[in-house]
């Protein structure tokens, strides 16, 4: 089942067995998808989809695919390299990524994003499985020049619009068979399978939960496969995750408003 958040109010909607999108009357963080109460069907008109979650924090992991670590000239780390990305960087589907004037090299990183259903603290991987609300598509947009120049990733990862999320959360994911594909202007640039991760989804959640308490609605980005590259004004960015759908975003140069 897919969980959407509809604008401008931000209510939840989900697909029924026939695939029709209906208003969700249940709290997706409090009840399991099988028990969800669905209301009226949403019409065929254009729906303003919002980012499917408003995270309290976004945890990223660097170099979780061997080939990506190598393409950036980095050694494969002995432990996951965690970083934080500001929640203010989140935008929903179809919202543009805006290239900030402080960077001359902004790059895409298509990723599988995990959304937490409830709190997780010093958890074992098996416990982490039950804390997952679902998976969605993310682009961990990165100002690569600033990432190389700065002692921390904070600035390079956190500009406004640097975390497109959506279009929906797959709330019944197959955690052993997830693939992420990134396309720029329709051309495939990245393809990664969760089997290729150095630390799998449950191990990552378990590891992160030892360093900081993960809360309901928090998002964990699971790293990007090889093939990262620059975004320029006018690009059409797509990130597709198995059983989720395609997150589509435009890219805009900086215009003073
Ligand atoms: Zn990343």
């Amino acid at each position: 089942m897919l969980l959407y958040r509809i604008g401008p109010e931000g209510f939840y909607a989900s697909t029924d067995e026939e695939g029709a999108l209906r208003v969700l009357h249940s709290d997706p963080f409090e009840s399991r998808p099988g028990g969800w109460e669905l209301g009226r069907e949403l019409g065929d008109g254009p729906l303003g989809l919002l980012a499917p979650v408003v995270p309290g924090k976004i945890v990223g992991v660097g170099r979780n695919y061997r080939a990506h670590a190598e393409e950036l000239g980095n050694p494969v780390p002995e432990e996951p390299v965690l970083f934080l990305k500001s929640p203010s960087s989140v935008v929903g589907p179809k919202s543009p990524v805006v290239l900030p004037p402080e960077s001359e090299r902004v790059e895409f990183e298509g990723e599988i994003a995990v959304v937490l259903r409830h709190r997780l603290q010093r958890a074992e991987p098996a416990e982490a499985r039950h804390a997952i609300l679902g998976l969605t598509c993310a682009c961990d947009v990165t100002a690569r020049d600033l990432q190389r120049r700065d002692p921390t990733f904070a600035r390079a990862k956190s500009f406004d619009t640097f975390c497109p999320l959506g279009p929906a959360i797959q709330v019944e994911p197959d955690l052993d068979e997830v693939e992420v594909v990134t396309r720029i202007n329709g051309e495939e640039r990245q393809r990664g399978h969760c089997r290729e991760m150095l630390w799998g989804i449950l191990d990552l959640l378990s590891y992160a939960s030892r360093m900081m308490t993960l809360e309901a609605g928090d998002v964990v980005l699971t790293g990007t496969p090889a093939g990262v590259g620059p975004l320029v004004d006018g690009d059409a960015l797509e990130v597709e995750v198995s059983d989720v759908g395609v997150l589509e975003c435009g890219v805009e140069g900086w215009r003073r408003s």
Side-chain angles (χ1 to χ4, degrees):
M1 284 175 95
L2 292 169
L3 178 66
Y4 293 87
R5 216 161 57 88
I6 312 293
E9 300 91 344
F11 59 84
Y12 284 104
S14 182
T15 42
D16 64 16
E17 282 113 63
E18 282 80 48
L21 190 61
R22 293 180 179 275
V23 174
L24 179 64
H25 290 317
S26 309
D27 181 343
F29 291 92
E30 294 295 333
S31 54
R32 296 281 163 174
W36 282 355
E37 194 189 325
L38 296 174
R40 70 179 170 86
E41 194 172 326
L42 292 163
D44 292 333
L47 290 167
L49 294 183
L50 304 178
V53 66
V54 182
K57 62 178 167 297
I58 304 164
V59 181
V61 56
R63 307 172 209 163
N64 199 28
Y65 291 80
R66 183 178 304 274
H68 171 62
E70 287 167 359
E71 78 179 342
L72 292 186
N74 291 312
V76 170
E78 288 173 16
E79 283 188 292
V81 180
L82 298 185
F83 61 87
L84 289 167
K85 197 170 171 82
S86 172
S88 52
S89 64
V90 170
V91 285
K94 305 268 167 93
S95 288
V97 171
V98 179
L99 306 172
E102 288 78 13
S103 173
E104 281 164 17
R105 178 82 181 192
V106 174
E107 295 194 348
F108 58 85
E109 296 189 356
E111 306 200 8
I112 299 162
V114 184
V115 182
L116 273 288
R117 179 197 302 279
H118 62 69
R119 175 174 292 183
L120 206 57
Q121 201 171 43
R122 294 199 171 273
E124 294 302 320
E127 208 182 328
R129 181 181 291 274
H130 297 288
I132 295 175
L133 177 64
L135 303 181
T136 189
C137 316
C139 192
D140 175 20
V141 182
T142 304
R144 194 72 69 203
D145 49 351
L146 304 182
Q147 185 188 28
R148 292 188 193 282
R149 196 186 306 161
D150 291 352
T152 81
F153 291 0
R155 173 166 75 147
K157 296 283 190 181
S158 292
F159 285 99
D160 288 354
T161 76
F162 268 29
C163 193
L165 289 178
I169 298 170
Q170 172 54 257
V171 292
E172 291 160 319
D174 180 351
L175 295 181
D176 301 317
E177 284 294 340
V178 198
E179 200 169 40
V180 58
V181 177
T182 311
R183 295 179 209 93
I184 301 295
N185 304 323
E187 186 188 321
E188 182 174 315
R189 304 289 293 275
Q190 294 185 285
R191 181 177 286 265
H193 194 283
C194 62
R195 270 195 305 269
E196 298 156 12
M197 291 178 180
L198 294 170
W199 289 277
I201 290 172
L202 299 180
D203 288 334
L204 268 183
L205 292 181
S206 168
Y207 182 85
S209 81
R210 281 190 264 143
M211 310 307 154
M212 61 191 95
T213 300
L214 301 176
E215 303 282 2
D218 282 356
V219 167
V220 177
L221 305 178
T222 57
T224 200
V228 298
L231 290 172
V232 297
D233 191 358
D235 275 348
L237 164 68
E238 290 180 357
V239 179
E240 180 168 8
V241 168
S242 313
D243 301 328
V244 173
V246 183
L247 169 66
E248 297 173 64
C249 292
V251 177
E252 289 181 2
W254 179 260
R255 290 168 193 97
R256 190 175 296 276
S257 55

